[in-house]
Amino acid sequence: MTPVNEAELAEAVAAAKGPLAVRGGGTRPIGRPVVGEPLSVAELSGIELYEPGALTIVVKAGTPLAEIEAALAAENQRLAFEPIDHRGLLGTTGEPTIGGVVAANVSGPRRIQVGAARDHLLGVRFVDGTGTIIKNGGRVMKNVTGYDLVKLMAGSFGTLGVLSEVSLKVLPKTDVIASLRIQGLTDAGAVRAMSQALGSPFEVSGAAHISGEAGQGAITLIRVEGFEASVAYRLAQLTELLVGAEGEITHLTDPAKVRTLWRGVRDVEPLHDHAGDIWRLSVKPSDAPGIVSRMPDGTRVVYDWGGGLIWAATAPGTDLRAEIGPYHGHATLIRASEATRAALPVFQPEPVRLAAISQGLRQKFDPRGILNQGLMG
Amino acid sequence: MQMPTPNAAVLSKKARIVERLQSVLPEDAVIHDPTETRAYECDALTAYKCPPLAAVLPASTEEVAAVLKICHEEGVPVVPRGSGTSLAGGALPTADSVILGVARLNAVLETDYDNRFIRVQTGRTNLSVTGAVEENDFFYAPDPSSQLACAIAGNIGMNSGGAHCLKYGVTTNNLLGVTMVLMDGTVVELGGAHLDAGGLDLLGVVCGSEGQLGVVTEATLRILRKPEGARPVLMGFDSNEVAGACVSDIIKAGVLPVAIEFMDRPCIEASEAFAHAGYPLCEALLIVEVEGSPAEIDEQLGLILQIARNHNPVELRESKSPEESAKIWLGRKSAFGAMGQINDYMCLDGTIPVSSLPLVLRRIGEMSKEYGLDVANVFHAGDGNMHPLILFDANKPGDLERCEALGADILKLCVEVGGCLTGEHGVGIEKRDLMTSQFTAEDIEAQLWVKDVFDPAWLLNPAKVFPLGATESRRAA
Ligand SMILES: Cc1cc2nc3c(=O)[nH]c(=O)nc-3n(C[C@H](O)[C@H](O)[C@H](O)COP(=O)(O)OP(=O)(O)OC[C@H]3O[C@@H](n4cnc5c(N)ncnc54)[C@H](O)[C@@H]3O)c2cc1C
């Protein structure tokens, strides 16, 4: 089914006789395998309202991300949370849509500075599992009117409702971008250096580490953005702050190269060639090296968010949670065969009471259990 | 303001309820004498008062759990309370309710500079969270004007904001995790020192739920390193329209100030008379503050001043020293106090799209004349969060009602232009009955589902946020 507007979308859901598999651009097939009649929102497309002076944009859920980014760039603005493009990592094709960005709450390296997709989402319109149209939030930056279902919808992977329209906060694009590169740090050394940088007043907008064997070939990257003089100043200050750390520091200032480099971090390029499974862990940064050390030999990792985000490439079928034992945070199996995704929980299992609350919410929003049934476990 | 009829069955077993509460709490933590429960009869929305059945002051998560378990078994409504500075009546009791105050839960549990968070008990005041990390040059970003008094508990309850949220976000953007007790006494952990949810974002919906989903006892908060410096400029304009256009141009130019504050003539005059900050007596005044190193500040302010000059300001004052900065902020910071000196006032909190600023200010001016009540405007212009202050005389019969009617009209106007009823103060009882002007019955029903799941007995702060008619069958069940 391919409804072309919200009313048709509502009708399609109301009339559904069985499970539905909701999709936007189909570039982020994350979650447990879903059976059901395909329901595409790709035809609900277009920018409804864009007010650069109010830093807000309202778009239909199927709008291609590229179209939104182009419209924003024309006004020198952007989606500051830097959504990752999953196509390289997941081997998918097609056009990422804004609905998918929101439903999967995807963010990139700048999440550490400006927040996640959920922090930039101002309002939603969606169709619940009975075909009822519901709105929450709005298109203004401060809004505490009623419960914040906007946050609940972000990252709900279409299991609570089918998004039809979203409004987002946008931010000015920065003039200049530059990066520090430190070579040869161990994972623990890199997390320490990144913590120092992020704990400085120099407004770091990205801190990532591509792990090597005992530091061999390892690269740590720290990004600053802003006005020209300010970027130069902060780069110098950060260098001074970090010279004490082992590892060789270089400045990368060619904007095109720095952008490409960080796009690579955002999209986890170092792991694209990996043939096995991909996991994504969110942890307390200083816990990260210890957690990684408990992963099976041969696991390749990339750290983002100053160490708080770990991308891990493992052998197919590895139950990574079992391997690393108890830890604080959450792990998601981002890429694996259908069989593995059916056998292992894709999303972090919740304690009993919270699982009951999540299940209770799904039951309320989708009483027939037809929306992406079982996707989140 | 209508409140539900107190449950007679609950009122009649007060003695037993008190006795049971005393069995799990120290003696001085259960307040039940009618002369003493008066201390909890209202919050900062002082027009409405009602002493609770009892008030309890637990000192640990376990004690909170024990209290809730008893109230759950006895079917007693519970109203969570931080410092009681809510302007929306969020912490207003009903006669059959137990006030659960978290004031004794005020410890710092953990500070972690490497991972940039602090874990506190939620009775701790907002300002003292920053106080705990200040010596290391860190701070907690959300800064409501009430920060000296208000507690993290209430900040989470209301998803409070502050003057600096244009850059740093509001409470929900700075909250990493909570320990929360559900109405039946179960303790749950949401989030932690890591980022984002691993499943549904339950923390996101708890923040701003006005004490209706659970009692938050501990919170993990993001802390940030202080910027090297900050400096404001003050600009005066001869019309609200021009000031509004200037705000929009600053934002479009790609600078992101930490604060853009707006005051209109009535507000400027009142605060001048009170604080003598030396403000120009013009139609509209902006205070714009930027942060960074001295060179960065110069660069950003240079751009902002250039934009301001394009709008023919009647005054342009750049701070050159900490003393001058303090003077620029003085009048703004005293605005509420100044209003309180001359009048009773009601502070509204609607948000509008910044582009509608001139229109909304003009309409407020017209409505103010129609109702015969003065309105002063002081607000966070960068994010469109208005704070119209309606001046009235509480001793004059009918004035409060007229003030409330004008307030309702102004808030409906905010919704009409694409905004909302409340940007940071919350709905409480104050805007409960206006919810239907912003939401359809279906929109409201979806929110009620969330409460059904977290608090199936509907005992936590049940008479707030939603029109009573919409919740009646649930509260009665
Ligand atoms: C002079 C003045 C200036 C103000 N300025 C601002 C401002 O700039 N920005 C702003 O956002 N607000 C402002 N406020 C409003 C108010 O200070 C905030 O709403 C504040 O967060 C309330 O905190 P509190 O601890 O006093 O909470 P309370 O008033 O005690 O409670 C507020 C709400 O939170 C709930 N709650 C309390 N404790 C808990 C808990 N442990 N668990 C779950 N829910 C709980 C309550 O039930 C209630 O619904 C101002 C108020 C005043 C009087």
Side-chain angles (χ1 to χ4, degrees):
Chain A
M1 285 182 290
T2 314
V4 300
N5 57 39
E6 189 182 64
E8 279 189 25
L9 173 66
E11 273 166 39
V13 175
K17 293 280 174 288
L20 298 171
V22 186
R23 41 184 293 155
T27 68
R28 309 181 202 270
I30 298 165
R32 289 209 143 164
V34 170
V35 287
E37 186 179 349
L39 171 64
S40 167
V41 296
E43 295 292 314
L44 269 70
S45 180
I47 296 171
E48 302 268 282
L49 178 81
Y50 173 29
E51 287 191 339
L55 300 176
T56 46
I57 190 165
V58 183
V59 293
K60 291 188 198 155
T63 313
L65 186 58
E67 183 181 330
I68 295 168
E69 286 178 333
L72 296 177
E75 295 288 342
N76 219 17
Q77 296 186 335
R78 66 182 173 196
L79 296 175
F81 56 93
E82 208 177 1
I84 164 180
D85 182 342
H86 274 105
R87 285 175 291 189
L89 195 62
L90 301 182
T92 50
T93 53
E95 271 301 306
T97 63
I98 192 67
V101 167
V102 168
N105 187 29
V106 295
S107 316
R110 212 179 288 107
R111 194 262 172 266
I112 194 72
Q113 184 190 31
V114 301
R118 54 94 84 177
D119 296 293
H120 295 252
L121 186 65
L122 303 175
V124 290
R125 294 179 63 89
F126 62 94
V127 172
D128 76 2
T130 68
T132 305
I133 298 168
I134 294 166
K135 72 162 181 304
N136 192 262
R139 63 176 175 97
V140 287
M141 255 188 259
K142 275 171 78 187
N143 185 348
V144 296
T145 322
Y147 293 165
D148 195 349
L149 303 186
V150 171
K151 298 284 182 301
L152 202 55
M153 294 306 292
S156 65
F157 287 86
T159 63
L160 296 178
V162 186
L163 293 166
S164 53
E165 184 186 285
V166 299
S167 41
L168 293 151
K169 170 180 170 178
V170 300
L171 284 174
K173 218 180 182 139
T174 44
D175 285 0
V176 178
I177 176 170
S179 202
L180 280 190
R181 184 180 63 198
I182 314 175
Q183 274 163 308
L185 294 184
T186 61
D187 291 3
V191 170
R192 267 198 307 277
M194 292 191 288
S195 284
Q196 258 186 300
L198 287 164
S200 78
F202 307 120
E203 305 207 64
V204 168
S205 78
H209 174 68
I210 298 148
S211 197
E213 276 297 318
Q216 279 294 324
I219 295 178
T220 310
L221 295 168
I222 292 172
R223 179 175 67 180
V224 285
E225 299 170 276
F227 295 109
E228 188 166 0
S230 157
V231 166
Y233 167 79
R234 285 183 281 144
L235 215 49
Q237 293 292 312
L238 284 164
T239 307
E240 203 166 295
L241 187 74
L242 297 174
V243 279
E246 65 273 42
E248 187 195 330
I249 303 183
T250 26
H251 287 186
L252 310 175
T253 52
D254 176 337
K257 284 195 184 137
V258 175
R259 277 204 179 88
T260 308
L261 189 63
W262 279 94
R263 194 172 313 123
V265 172
R266 183 194 75 182
D267 297 343
V268 209
E269 262 171 33
L271 305 183
H272 284 192
D273 64 357
H274 177 70
D277 296 350
I278 304 282
W279 290 79
R280 179 184 181 277
L281 291 83
S282 176
V283 301
K284 180 164 88 178
S286 62
D287 285 351
I291 290 170
V292 167
S293 74
R294 304 202 295 275
M295 292 180 180
D297 286 345
T299 306
R300 284 158 63 201
V301 298
V302 171
Y303 297 81
D304 198 351
W305 300 354
L309 176 66
I310 307 168
W311 294 97
T314 66
T318 308
D319 183 353
L320 191 62
R321 295 187 194 100
E323 298 281 342
I324 60 182
Y327 72 103
H328 293 288
H330 52 85
T332 311
L333 177 54
I334 292 288
R335 187 184 87 189
S337 68
E338 281 214 3
T340 303
R341 284 184 289 127
L344 293 177
V346 167
F347 291 87
Q348 181 72 34
E350 293 174 292
V352 179
R353 188 58 189 267
L354 295 181
I357 288 177
S358 296
Q359 207 41 48
L361 290 170
R362 288 204 181 86
Q363 211 275 326
K364 290 279 184 187
F365 282 77
D366 177 23
R368 295 183 292 165
I370 60 169
L371 300 178
N372 281 349
Q373 190 181 55
L375 185 148
M376 293 184 82
Chain B
M1 196 69 59
Q2 194 201 344
M3 289 303 275
T5 319
N7 183 332
V10 170
L11 296 179
S12 69
K13 58 179 174 181
K14 173 172 176 177
R16 181 168 104 181
I17 294 163
V18 167
E19 201 174 302
R20 285 196 69 185
L21 292 171
Q22 282 166 333
S23 75
V24 296
L25 293 177
E27 201 181 317
D28 69 347
V30 183
I31 296 148
H32 56 91
D33 184 310
T35 55
E36 291 175 52
T37 53
R38 286 274 304 275
Y40 298 92
E41 68 183 0
C42 69
D43 55 25
L45 183 70
T46 51
Y48 298 96
K49 297 190 165 102
C50 172
L53 187 77
V56 293
L57 300 171
S60 67
T61 299
E62 294 68 36
E63 287 184 1
V64 171
V67 166
L68 288 177
K69 193 162 181 297
I70 291 169
C71 292
H72 188 241
E73 285 166 7
E74 299 286 350
V76 186
V78 172
V79 177
R81 179 180 167 108
S83 303
T85 67
S86 168
L87 290 165
L92 175 75
T94 48
D96 57 1
S97 71
V98 167
I99 283 275
L100 192 164
V102 292
R104 288 187 184 176
L105 285 156
N106 59 8
V108 172
L109 302 170
E110 186 181 0
T111 42
D112 184 331
Y113 297 103
D114 285 340
N115 295 301
R116 300 169 302 283
F117 72 84
I118 183 169
R119 201 157 58 83
V120 298
Q121 291 182 318
T122 55
R124 197 169 178 88
T125 62
N126 174 292
L127 193 62
S128 72
V129 171
T130 288
V133 294
E134 213 162 23
E135 59 176 6
N136 288 296
D137 282 331
F138 276 74
F139 71 111
Y140 174 60
D143 58 344
S145 319
S146 52
Q147 65 182 161
L148 192 62
C150 68
I152 293 300
N155 293 176
I156 295 171
M158 292 310 192
N159 187 16
S160 302
H164 292 82
C165 43
L166 187 55
K167 178 166 178 192
Y168 295 113
V170 295
T171 302
T172 190
N173 312 113
N174 293 279
L175 177 67
L176 298 173
V178 294
T179 300
M180 182 171 88
V181 189
L182 299 170
M183 187 61 213
D184 65 5
T186 314
V187 179
V188 295
E189 301 280 342
L190 300 174
H194 57 276
L195 296 174
D196 299 337
L200 293 183
D201 189 354
L202 303 180
L203 180 64
V205 75
V206 162
C207 188
S209 61
E210 307 204 12
Q212 293 196 310
L213 302 184
V215 176
V216 178
T217 58
E218 293 175 16
T220 306
L221 308 169
R222 179 172 79 133
I223 51 170
L224 298 169
R225 181 68 184 267
K226 280 193 176 160
E228 288 179 87
R231 202 152 18 107
V233 280
L234 177 147
M235 28 185 119
F237 297 96
D238 57 15
S239 84
N240 288 331
E241 279 82 356
V242 179
C246 184
V247 170
S248 176
D249 283 355
I250 290 172
I251 290 174
K252 268 194 280 192
V255 243
L256 193 65
V258 271
I260 307 183
E261 299 289 300
F262 190 117
M263 293 166 76
D264 70 356
R265 179 181 274 278
C267 189
I268 300 168
E269 283 173 356
S271 76
E272 260 313 284
F274 179 72
H276 312 291
Y279 285 179
L281 294 179
C282 54
E283 291 308 311
L285 192 146
L286 295 178
I287 298 174
V288 184
E289 182 160 276
V290 297
E291 287 180 350
S293 66
E296 290 173 288
I297 291 176
D298 284 343
E299 183 165 356
Q300 294 180 67
L301 284 188
L303 195 61
I304 289 168
L305 289 168
Q306 193 185 327
I307 294 168
R309 283 194 195 97
N310 291 340
H311 291 279
N312 298 318
V314 297
E315 174 101 14
L316 207 51
R317 201 179 294 169
E318 191 184 345
S319 158
K320 296 273 183 241
S321 67
E323 294 73 39
E324 284 177 25
S325 298
K327 200 145 186 225
I328 287 180
W329 276 109
L330 177 68
R332 166 64 184 92
K333 290 196 168 156
S334 352
F336 286 66
M339 288 299 163
Q341 288 281 309
I342 31 178
N343 263 99
D344 297 306
Y345 69 81
M346 180 170 145
C347 174
L348 303 180
D349 170 49
T351 308
I352 57 166
V354 182
S355 49
S356 313
L357 206 58
L359 168 78
V360 170
L361 288 173
R362 194 171 65 241
R363 285 287 298 128
I364 290 178
E366 289 162 9
M367 290 181 194
S368 152
K369 285 207 186 75
E370 284 161 31
Y371 278 89
L373 291 172
D374 286 336
V375 179
N377 284 289
V378 47
F379 56 92
H380 317 301
D383 49 36
N385 190 189
M386 312 267 297
H387 285 315
L389 304 177
I390 308 177
L391 311 183
F392 71 104
D393 182 350
N395 295 322
K396 201 160 136 195
D399 237 30
L400 174 65
E401 290 71 21
R402 224 150 29 100
C403 166
E404 287 183 338
L406 171 55
D409 279 353
I410 292 176
L411 292 182
K412 284 181 196 156
L413 172 66
C414 292
V415 173
E416 225 169 81
V417 299
C420 66
L421 297 171
T422 169
E424 58 181 17
H425 293 169
V427 178
I429 54 158
E430 192 204 14
K431 284 154 292 221
R432 203 181 55 188
D433 299 322
L434 290 172
M435 287 288 275
T436 48
S437 66
Q438 186 175 332
F439 294 114
T440 64
E442 290 79 17
D443 299 339
I444 290 179
E445 180 69 16
Q447 297 178 39
L448 301 182
W449 293 337
V450 176
K451 182 153 174 72
D452 290 341
V453 170
F454 278 85
D455 175 25
W458 269 74
L459 289 171
L460 275 168
N461 217 3
K464 310 290 169 65
V465 187
F466 306 104
L468 289 179
T471 61
E472 192 171 8
S473 60
R474 287 167 152 104
R475 282 180 290 112

